[in-house]
């Protein structure tokens, strides 16, 4: 395994940054990156949040099989694989996937019965761009955004009456294939798009051997239709469907002793919208959305633990259906040339209909016992929120911003019962039911200073807020735990956090530099605590017993050297996270002290067409992960991988693209605390045609 030391990493990082700091401060911005992270489209330099953007070109040239793969090099972001390829989740600034808000076109995706957090159920081919918002975003987007938010902006209509794209790819890490096709256009006031995609792969190839039980397959389709009622008024509808089948495993147990099979995880969404601009001189925009979303997951988890005198086998199944009806209205106001205000109302009603079955076989001293428990759950969650955010220009170069959001959540578990059959004797079982309500106002405030056109300095304070899931409050589960039970707790309180941040953006014409220093303090963390233990299993329960303090530095920079086409680049995260629980404080939270992606890009015109290449490395220092349940610490070595990508746009109008990637060229054998498996040396190729 290739190890990484701090001195080696710092030398490499400083070498990559040396030319970035030498950029001429008199150069001007040649293009604007515009984002909607602040719920209104603005130039990135005017946004008082730490935001990274994955552009349409980045997505088109990538052979990424999931959304998580697209953003893995963004500073502050880590990927949680849970031993699978097709289902990956996002962690931001050390916060897990439960505390990362996932949105599609500003509308949240939810998960009320999960051991790992909200998944991202959408294909990369449907995406126009991805905005990664780092730090609490609860004022603008609501609960769950303690660590940050991912806003996935989908492709809309085309520019010509008829245009289309087809692509196909291959990934050698899992002998996987991909294909997508779309047709779009605009004519007579109508804008439309239709698309479909496929992704699939077999077991992941490691540096030495394979990871059994990690294959996956996904299919998706999407549609968009809008009509311009006038130059300032647009109405439309959207629809998309995603269907995933995947397996996952763990390297600590054999494929026969542990596996997870999810034959069905489907998400279907339909929505309508109405957007009007310039209703009056003061009311500059009014946007209304209504959507319905349904997610269905069917899951089997097999666990077998043999300790000689005692062996326990658990076969757990679940069939969960989550339906969500959501609506929002947002009004943008311009009261003077110096004051811009956003106000809005969001409402979401979610219903969970779930059944689960746990079949436990216990063998002790030659005697066998069998217990079959079947559960039925019916619950709902009503979330309503009012919010307001304002920007006030104090001087031509200094802008004050602030906002507040009032959130009210009503949780109602109507049914949590079933039957338990032990050695042929049947008895009813039940868990907690009832209603819980939580409400809170969270705030944010900050300043943006623009001393020159390509520079912005930001200072911000933001609050985070997360309400417990239905599972955390009311649902008992044995998933992944042979003979053990994790119980819900109806008395849970919401989690809260305060984040303080200082950042600088500098974007002259040939360079880009963005740095943030932040401190986050979170309280009332929901985590599991051991209640009792025996040879046949343990009982855990969710409680508000933990808090965390995180301090970090995020940096992303690049510099294009004159007309040579060369562009050194770096993306860096330095993080120290302290977690406190049960009177124990530890910084062994499974988070590397330093992670960095660094290299040199080149682009230019050749006789073949527009050509680009990138030689880069990914590195991380060692990490330790302390378990409060067992009192033990796992150690993860530092690592470095060397990678190379290249792309070619060719044809009469550069309407054909060929992109290749060679990853982990040194065949480094490594894992991270958040990924049970990492691929060995592999390559990918992707061909795209536009017409």
């Amino acid at each position: 395994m290739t190890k990484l030391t701090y001195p080696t990493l710092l030398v490499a990082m400083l070498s990559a940054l040396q030319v970035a700091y030498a950029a001429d401060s008199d150069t001007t911005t040649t293009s604007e990156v515009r984002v909607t992270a602040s719920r209104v489209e603005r130039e990135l330099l005017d946004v008082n949040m730490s935001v990274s953007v994955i552009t349409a070109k980045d997505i088109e040239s990538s052979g990424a099989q999931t959304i998580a793969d697209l953003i893995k090099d963004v500073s502050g972001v880590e990927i949680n694989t849970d031993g699978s390829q097709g289902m990956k989740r996002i962690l931001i600034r050390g916060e897990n996937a439960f505390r990362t808000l996932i949105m599609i076109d500003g509308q949240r995706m939810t998960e009320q019965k999960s051991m790992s957090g909200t998944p991202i159920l959408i294909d990369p081919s449907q995406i126009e761009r991805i905005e990664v918002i780092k730090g609490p975003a609860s004022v603008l987007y609501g609960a769950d955004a303690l660590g940050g938010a991912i806003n996935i902006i989908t492709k809309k209509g085309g520019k010509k009456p008829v245009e289309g794209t087809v692509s196909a790819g291959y990934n050698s890490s899992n002998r996987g294939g991909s294909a997508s096709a779309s047709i779009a256009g605009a004519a007579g006031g109508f804008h439309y798009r239709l698309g479909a995609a496929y992704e699939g792969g077999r077991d992941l190839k490691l540096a030495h051997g394979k990871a059994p039980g990690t294959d996956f397959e996904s299919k998706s389709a999407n549609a968009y239709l809008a009509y311009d009622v006038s130059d300032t008024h647009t109405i439309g509808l959207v629809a998309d469907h995603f269907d995933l089948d995947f397996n996952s495993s763990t390297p600590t147990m054999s494929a026969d002793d542990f596996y997870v099979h999810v034959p069905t995880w489907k998400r279907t969404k339909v929505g309508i919208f109405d957007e009007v601009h310039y209703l009056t001189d003061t009311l500059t925009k009014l946007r209304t959305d209504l959507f319905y979303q349904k997610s269905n997951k069917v899951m089997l988890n097999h666990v077998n633990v043999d300790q000689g005198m005692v062996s326990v086998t658990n076969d757990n199944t679940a069939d969960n259906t989550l339906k969500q009806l959501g609506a929002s209205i947002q009004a943008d106001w311009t009261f003077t040339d110096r004051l811009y205000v956003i106000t809005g109302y969001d409402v979401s009603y979610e219903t969970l209909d779930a059944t689960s079955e746990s079949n436990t076989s216990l063998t002790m001293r030659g005697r066998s016992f069998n217990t079959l428990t079947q559960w039925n759950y019916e619950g709902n969650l009503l979330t309503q929120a009012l919010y307001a955010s304002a920007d006030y220009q104090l001087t031509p170069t200094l802008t004050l911003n602030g906002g507040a959001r009032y959130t009210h959540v009503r949780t109602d578990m109507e049914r949590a019962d079933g039957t338990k059959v032990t050695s042929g004797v049947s008895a009813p079982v039940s868990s907690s039911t009832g209603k819980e309500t939580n409400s809170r106002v969270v705030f944010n405030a900050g300043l943006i200073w623009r001393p020159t056109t390509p520079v912005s300095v930001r200072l911000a304070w933001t609050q985070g807020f997360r309400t417990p899931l239905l599972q955390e409050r009311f649902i008992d589960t044995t998933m992944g735990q042979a003979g053990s039970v994790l119980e819900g707790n109806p008395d849970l309180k919401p989690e809260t956090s305060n984040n303080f941040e200082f950042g600088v953006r500098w974007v002259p014409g040939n360079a880009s530099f963005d740095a943030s220093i932040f401190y986050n303090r979170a309280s009332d963390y929901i985590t599991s605590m051991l209640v009792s233990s025996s040879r046949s299993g343990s009982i855990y329960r969710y409680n508000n017993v933990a808090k965390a303090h995180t301090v970090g530095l995020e940096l992303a920079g690049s510099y294009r050297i004159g007309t040579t086409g060369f562009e050194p680049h770096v993306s860096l995260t330095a993080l120290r996270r302290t977690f406190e629980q049960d009177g124990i404080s530890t910084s062994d939270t499974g988070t590397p002290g330093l992670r960095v992606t660094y290299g040199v890009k080149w682009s230019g015109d050749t006789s073949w067409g527009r050509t680009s290449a990138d030689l880069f490395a990914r590195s991380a220092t060692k990490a330790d992960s302390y378990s409060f349940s067992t009192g033990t610490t796992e150690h993860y070595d530092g690592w470095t991988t060397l990678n190379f990508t290249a792309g070619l746009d060719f044809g009469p109008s550069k309407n054909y693209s060929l992109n290749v990637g060679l990853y982990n060229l040194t065949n480094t054998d490594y894992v991270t605390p958040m990924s049970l498996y990492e691929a060995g040396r592999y390559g990918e190729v992707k061909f795209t045609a536009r017409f």
Side-chain angles (χ1 to χ4, degrees), residues 574-598:
L575 199 69
R576 181 174 177 81
R577 181 174 173 80
T578 303
F579 198 85
E580 299 178 25
Q581 179 179 330
D582 299 341
I584 301 173
S585 177
T586 180
S587 295
D588 295 337
T589 59
T591 303
L594 203 58
R595 290 187 299 108
V596 60
T597 300
Y598 49 100

PDB file of all heavy atoms in Angstrom, residues 574-598:
ATOM      1  N   ALA A 574      -8.476  20.285   4.726  1.00  0.00           N
ATOM      2  CA  ALA A 574      -7.819  19.996   6.007  1.00  0.00           C
ATOM      3  C   ALA A 574      -8.894  20.074   7.084  1.00  0.00           C
ATOM      4  O   ALA A 574      -9.579  21.092   7.214  1.00  0.00           O
ATOM      5  CB  ALA A 574      -6.702  21.008   6.278  1.00  0.00           C
ATOM      6  N   LEU A 575      -9.058  19.005   7.844  1.00  0.00           N
ATOM      7  CA  LEU A 575     -10.206  18.917   8.748  1.00  0.00           C
ATOM      8  C   LEU A 575      -9.793  18.276  10.068  1.00  0.00           C
ATOM      9  O   LEU A 575      -9.059  17.286  10.093  1.00  0.00           O
ATOM     10  CB  LEU A 575     -11.305  18.068   8.090  1.00  0.00           C
ATOM     11  CG  LEU A 575     -12.725  18.201   8.611  1.00  0.00           C
ATOM     12  CD1 LEU A 575     -13.284  19.573   8.261  1.00  0.00           C
ATOM     13  CD2 LEU A 575     -13.604  17.121   7.979  1.00  0.00           C
ATOM     14  N   ARG A 576     -10.269  18.858  11.160  1.00  0.00           N
ATOM     15  CA  ARG A 576     -10.131  18.224  12.475  1.00  0.00           C
ATOM     16  C   ARG A 576     -11.505  18.229  13.133  1.00  0.00           C
ATOM     17  O   ARG A 576     -12.098  19.278  13.356  1.00  0.00           O
ATOM     18  CB  ARG A 576      -9.125  18.948  13.357  1.00  0.00           C
ATOM     19  CG  ARG A 576      -8.962  18.275  14.725  1.00  0.00           C
ATOM     20  CD  ARG A 576      -7.854  18.905  15.539  1.00  0.00           C
ATOM     21  NE  ARG A 576      -7.729  18.320  16.868  1.00  0.00           N
ATOM     22  CZ  ARG A 576      -7.099  17.199  17.149  1.00  0.00           C
ATOM     23  NH1 ARG A 576      -6.510  16.525  16.169  1.00  0.00           N
ATOM     24  NH2 ARG A 576      -7.028  16.732  18.389  1.00  0.00           N
ATOM     25  N   ARG A 577     -11.970  17.050  13.428  1.00  0.00           N
ATOM     26  CA  ARG A 577     -13.320  16.884  13.954  1.00  0.00           C
ATOM     27  C   ARG A 577     -13.246  16.171  15.298  1.00  0.00           C
ATOM     28  O   ARG A 577     -12.616  15.106  15.424  1.00  0.00           O
ATOM     29  CB  ARG A 577     -14.152  16.070  12.962  1.00  0.00           C
ATOM     30  CG  ARG A 577     -15.594  15.839  13.364  1.00  0.00           C
ATOM     31  CD  ARG A 577     -16.316  15.156  12.197  1.00  0.00           C
ATOM     32  NE  ARG A 577     -17.655  14.763  12.558  1.00  0.00           N
ATOM     33  CZ  ARG A 577     -18.704  15.571  12.586  1.00  0.00           C
ATOM     34  NH1 ARG A 577     -18.541  16.843  12.278  1.00  0.00           N
ATOM     35  NH2 ARG A 577     -19.906  15.132  12.906  1.00  0.00           N
ATOM     36  N   THR A 578     -13.874  16.745  16.303  1.00  0.00           N
ATOM     37  CA  THR A 578     -13.908  16.161  17.636  1.00  0.00           C
ATOM     38  C   THR A 578     -15.335  15.763  17.973  1.00  0.00           C
ATOM     39  O   THR A 578     -16.254  16.584  17.880  1.00  0.00           O
ATOM     40  CB  THR A 578     -13.387  17.156  18.683  1.00  0.00           C
ATOM     41  OG1 THR A 578     -12.061  17.566  18.336  1.00  0.00           O
ATOM     42  CG2 THR A 578     -13.361  16.518  20.056  1.00  0.00           C
ATOM     43  N   PHE A 579     -15.504  14.513  18.352  1.00  0.00           N
ATOM     44  CA  PHE A 579     -16.830  13.963  18.649  1.00  0.00           C
ATOM     45  C   PHE A 579     -16.888  13.600  20.126  1.00  0.00           C
ATOM     46  O   PHE A 579     -15.961  12.983  20.658  1.00  0.00           O
ATOM     47  CB  PHE A 579     -17.068  12.725  17.772  1.00  0.00           C
ATOM     48  CG  PHE A 579     -18.504  12.321  17.663  1.00  0.00           C
ATOM     49  CD1 PHE A 579     -19.339  12.909  16.731  1.00  0.00           C
ATOM     50  CD2 PHE A 579     -19.028  11.339  18.492  1.00  0.00           C
ATOM     51  CE1 PHE A 579     -20.668  12.523  16.614  1.00  0.00           C
ATOM     52  CE2 PHE A 579     -20.358  10.949  18.385  1.00  0.00           C
ATOM     53  CZ  PHE A 579     -21.171  11.546  17.447  1.00  0.00           C
ATOM     54  N   GLU A 580     -17.983  13.975  20.780  1.00  0.00           N
ATOM     55  CA  GLU A 580     -18.139  13.719  22.205  1.00  0.00           C
ATOM     56  C   GLU A 580     -19.408  12.914  22.457  1.00  0.00           C
ATOM     57  O   GLU A 580     -20.474  13.242  21.953  1.00  0.00           O
ATOM     58  CB  GLU A 580     -18.207  15.037  22.980  1.00  0.00           C
ATOM     59  CG  GLU A 580     -16.964  15.896  22.843  1.00  0.00           C
ATOM     60  CD  GLU A 580     -17.093  17.204  23.582  1.00  0.00           C
ATOM     61  OE1 GLU A 580     -17.879  17.264  24.545  1.00  0.00           O
ATOM     62  OE2 GLU A 580     -16.425  18.180  23.189  1.00  0.00           O
ATOM     63  N   GLN A 581     -19.265  11.848  23.244  1.00  0.00           N
ATOM     64  CA  GLN A 581     -20.402  10.997  23.588  1.00  0.00           C
ATOM     65  C   GLN A 581     -20.083  10.229  24.862  1.00  0.00           C
ATOM     66  O   GLN A 581     -18.951   9.762  25.052  1.00  0.00           O
ATOM     67  CB  GLN A 581     -20.702  10.012  22.439  1.00  0.00           C
ATOM     68  CG  GLN A 581     -21.862   9.071  22.711  1.00  0.00           C
ATOM     69  CD  GLN A 581     -22.129   8.131  21.545  1.00  0.00           C
ATOM     70  OE1 GLN A 581     -21.888   8.480  20.406  1.00  0.00           O
ATOM     71  NE2 GLN A 581     -22.623   6.942  21.845  1.00  0.00           N
ATOM     72  N   ASP A 582     -21.070  10.100  25.749  1.00  0.00           N
ATOM     73  CA  ASP A 582     -20.929   9.317  26.981  1.00  0.00           C
ATOM     74  C   ASP A 582     -19.723   9.766  27.806  1.00  0.00           C
ATOM     75  O   ASP A 582     -19.034   8.948  28.417  1.00  0.00           O
ATOM     76  CB  ASP A 582     -20.796   7.828  26.653  1.00  0.00           C
ATOM     77  CG  ASP A 582     -22.015   7.285  25.927  1.00  0.00           C
ATOM     78  OD1 ASP A 582     -23.077   7.920  26.000  1.00  0.00           O
ATOM     79  OD2 ASP A 582     -21.891   6.236  25.270  1.00  0.00           O
ATOM     80  N   GLY A 583     -19.432  11.060  27.805  1.00  0.00           N
ATOM     81  CA  GLY A 583     -18.306  11.562  28.580  1.00  0.00           C
ATOM     82  C   GLY A 583     -16.954  11.324  27.951  1.00  0.00           C
ATOM     83  O   GLY A 583     -15.917  11.632  28.535  1.00  0.00           O
ATOM     84  N   ILE A 584     -16.936  10.773  26.743  1.00  0.00           N
ATOM     85  CA  ILE A 584     -15.686  10.497  26.027  1.00  0.00           C
ATOM     86  C   ILE A 584     -15.556  11.479  24.870  1.00  0.00           C
ATOM     87  O   ILE A 584     -16.508  11.700  24.114  1.00  0.00           O
ATOM     88  CB  ILE A 584     -15.648   9.049  25.499  1.00  0.00           C
ATOM     89  CG1 ILE A 584     -15.772   8.058  26.652  1.00  0.00           C
ATOM     90  CG2 ILE A 584     -14.377   8.789  24.704  1.00  0.00           C
ATOM     91  CD1 ILE A 584     -15.907   6.617  26.191  1.00  0.00           C
ATOM     92  N   SER A 585     -14.384  12.067  24.720  1.00  0.00           N
ATOM     93  CA  SER A 585     -14.111  12.975  23.616  1.00  0.00           C
ATOM     94  C   SER A 585     -12.994  12.396  22.763  1.00  0.00           C
ATOM     95  O   SER A 585     -11.958  11.968  23.295  1.00  0.00           O
ATOM     96  CB  SER A 585     -13.706  14.357  24.144  1.00  0.00           C
ATOM     97  OG  SER A 585     -13.367  15.221  23.080  1.00  0.00           O
ATOM     98  N   THR A 586     -13.191  12.352  21.448  1.00  0.00           N
ATOM     99  CA  THR A 586     -12.182  11.778  20.563  1.00  0.00           C
ATOM    100  C   THR A 586     -12.117  12.549  19.254  1.00  0.00           C
ATOM    101  O   THR A 586     -13.132  13.052  18.766  1.00  0.00           O
ATOM    102  CB  THR A 586     -12.471  10.296  20.271  1.00  0.00           C
ATOM    103  OG1 THR A 586     -11.461   9.780  19.392  1.00  0.00           O
ATOM    104  CG2 THR A 586     -13.834  10.119  19.615  1.00  0.00           C
ATOM    105  N   SER A 587     -10.912  12.630  18.716  1.00  0.00           N
ATOM    106  CA  SER A 587     -10.716  13.175  17.369  1.00  0.00           C
ATOM    107  C   SER A 587     -10.516  12.064  16.350  1.00  0.00           C
ATOM    108  O   SER A 587     -10.261  12.338  15.176  1.00  0.00           O
ATOM    109  CB  SER A 587      -9.510  14.121  17.355  1.00  0.00           C
ATOM    110  OG  SER A 587      -9.754  15.252  18.164  1.00  0.00           O
ATOM    111  N   ASP A 588     -10.637  10.811  16.788  1.00  0.00           N
ATOM    112  CA  ASP A 588     -10.548   9.666  15.878  1.00  0.00           C
ATOM    113  C   ASP A 588     -11.925   9.403  15.287  1.00  0.00           C
ATOM    114  O   ASP A 588     -12.632   8.465  15.669  1.00  0.00           O
ATOM    115  CB  ASP A 588     -10.036   8.430  16.629  1.00  0.00           C
ATOM    116  CG  ASP A 588      -8.614   8.600  17.132  1.00  0.00           C
ATOM    117  OD1 ASP A 588      -7.895   9.433  16.565  1.00  0.00           O
ATOM    118  OD2 ASP A 588      -8.240   7.909  18.104  1.00  0.00           O
ATOM    119  N   THR A 589     -12.342  10.268  14.389  1.00  0.00           N
ATOM    120  CA  THR A 589     -13.699  10.224  13.838  1.00  0.00           C
ATOM    121  C   THR A 589     -13.750   9.643  12.433  1.00  0.00           C
ATOM    122  O   THR A 589     -14.758   9.777  11.744  1.00  0.00           O
ATOM    123  CB  THR A 589     -14.294  11.636  13.829  1.00  0.00           C
ATOM    124  OG1 THR A 589     -13.463  12.490  13.030  1.00  0.00           O
ATOM    125  CG2 THR A 589     -14.383  12.201  15.240  1.00  0.00           C
ATOM    126  N   GLY A 590     -12.660   9.027  11.986  1.00  0.00           N
ATOM    127  CA  GLY A 590     -12.640   8.452  10.647  1.00  0.00           C
ATOM    128  C   GLY A 590     -12.449   9.477   9.557  1.00  0.00           C
ATOM    129  O   GLY A 590     -12.665   9.165   8.378  1.00  0.00           O
ATOM    130  N   THR A 591     -12.036  10.674   9.918  1.00  0.00           N
ATOM    131  CA  THR A 591     -11.846  11.739   8.935  1.00  0.00           C
ATOM    132  C   THR A 591     -10.355  12.004   8.761  1.00  0.00           C
ATOM    133  O   THR A 591      -9.669  12.347   9.740  1.00  0.00           O
ATOM    134  CB  THR A 591     -12.529  13.037   9.395  1.00  0.00           C
ATOM    135  OG1 THR A 591     -13.912  12.772   9.615  1.00  0.00           O
ATOM    136  CG2 THR A 591     -12.392  14.119   8.354  1.00  0.00           C
ATOM    137  N   PRO A 592      -9.800  11.869   7.544  1.00  0.00           N
ATOM    138  CA  PRO A 592      -8.380  12.180   7.337  1.00  0.00           C
ATOM    139  C   PRO A 592      -8.095  13.638   7.664  1.00  0.00           C
ATOM    140  O   PRO A 592      -8.911  14.521   7.407  1.00  0.00           O
ATOM    141  CB  PRO A 592      -8.172  11.907   5.840  1.00  0.00           C
ATOM    142  CG  PRO A 592      -9.314  11.047   5.432  1.00  0.00           C
ATOM    143  CD  PRO A 592     -10.461  11.427   6.312  1.00  0.00           C
ATOM    144  N   GLY A 593      -6.929  13.897   8.248  1.00  0.00           N
ATOM    145  CA  GLY A 593      -6.563  15.268   8.547  1.00  0.00           C
ATOM    146  C   GLY A 593      -6.382  16.096   7.292  1.00  0.00           C
ATOM    147  O   GLY A 593      -6.624  17.306   7.294  1.00  0.00           O
ATOM    148  N   LEU A 594      -5.996  15.445   6.192  1.00  0.00           N
ATOM    149  CA  LEU A 594      -5.726  16.163   4.945  1.00  0.00           C
ATOM    150  C   LEU A 594      -6.098  15.287   3.760  1.00  0.00           C
ATOM    151  O   LEU A 594      -5.706  14.115   3.691  1.00  0.00           O
ATOM    152  CB  LEU A 594      -4.238  16.528   4.886  1.00  0.00           C
ATOM    153  CG  LEU A 594      -3.800  17.681   3.999  1.00  0.00           C
ATOM    154  CD1 LEU A 594      -4.508  18.980   4.369  1.00  0.00           C
ATOM    155  CD2 LEU A 594      -2.286  17.867   4.095  1.00  0.00           C
ATOM    156  N   ARG A 595      -6.867  15.831   2.848  1.00  0.00           N
ATOM    157  CA  ARG A 595      -7.174  15.177   1.574  1.00  0.00           C
ATOM    158  C   ARG A 595      -6.940  16.189   0.464  1.00  0.00           C
ATOM    159  O   ARG A 595      -7.303  17.360   0.590  1.00  0.00           O
ATOM    160  CB  ARG A 595      -8.623  14.686   1.517  1.00  0.00           C
ATOM    161  CG  ARG A 595      -8.926  13.521   2.426  1.00  0.00           C
ATOM    162  CD  ARG A 595     -10.319  12.969   2.195  1.00  0.00           C
ATOM    163  NE  ARG A 595     -11.348  13.967   2.448  1.00  0.00           N
ATOM    164  CZ  ARG A 595     -12.082  14.557   1.517  1.00  0.00           C
ATOM    165  NH1 ARG A 595     -11.887  14.270   0.242  1.00  0.00           N
ATOM    166  NH2 ARG A 595     -12.998  15.440   1.842  1.00  0.00           N
ATOM    167  N   VAL A 596      -6.353  15.737  -0.628  1.00  0.00           N
ATOM    168  CA  VAL A 596      -6.005  16.681  -1.681  1.00  0.00           C
ATOM    169  C   VAL A 596      -6.012  15.988  -3.033  1.00  0.00           C
ATOM    170  O   VAL A 596      -5.645  14.823  -3.165  1.00  0.00           O
ATOM    171  CB  VAL A 596      -4.624  17.327  -1.407  1.00  0.00           C
ATOM    172  CG1 VAL A 596      -3.524  16.282  -1.348  1.00  0.00           C
ATOM    173  CG2 VAL A 596      -4.290  18.387  -2.436  1.00  0.00           C
ATOM    174  N   THR A 597      -6.495  16.707  -4.042  1.00  0.00           N
ATOM    175  CA  THR A 597      -6.376  16.305  -5.442  1.00  0.00           C
ATOM    176  C   THR A 597      -5.551  17.381  -6.138  1.00  0.00           C
ATOM    177  O   THR A 597      -5.878  18.567  -6.041  1.00  0.00           O
ATOM    178  CB  THR A 597      -7.758  16.189  -6.107  1.00  0.00           C
ATOM    179  OG1 THR A 597      -8.539  15.205  -5.414  1.00  0.00           O
ATOM    180  CG2 THR A 597      -7.625  15.786  -7.567  1.00  0.00           C
ATOM    181  N   TYR A 598      -4.492  17.002  -6.819  1.00  0.00           N
ATOM    182  CA  TYR A 598      -3.588  17.994  -7.393  1.00  0.00           C
ATOM    183  C   TYR A 598      -2.989  17.449  -8.681  1.00  0.00           C
ATOM    184  O   TYR A 598      -2.764  16.251  -8.827  1.00  0.00           O
ATOM    185  CB  TYR A 598      -2.485  18.352  -6.400  1.00  0.00           C
ATOM    186  CG  TYR A 598      -1.796  17.154  -5.779  1.00  0.00           C
ATOM    187  CD1 TYR A 598      -0.569  16.699  -6.239  1.00  0.00           C
ATOM    188  CD2 TYR A 598      -2.398  16.469  -4.722  1.00  0.00           C
ATOM    189  CE1 TYR A 598       0.049  15.599  -5.675  1.00  0.00           C
ATOM    190  CE2 TYR A 598      -1.791  15.373  -4.144  1.00  0.00           C
ATOM    191  CZ  TYR A 598      -0.563  14.931  -4.625  1.00  0.00           C
ATOM    192  OH  TYR A 598       0.041  13.836  -4.067  1.00  0.00           O
TER     193      TYR A 598
END
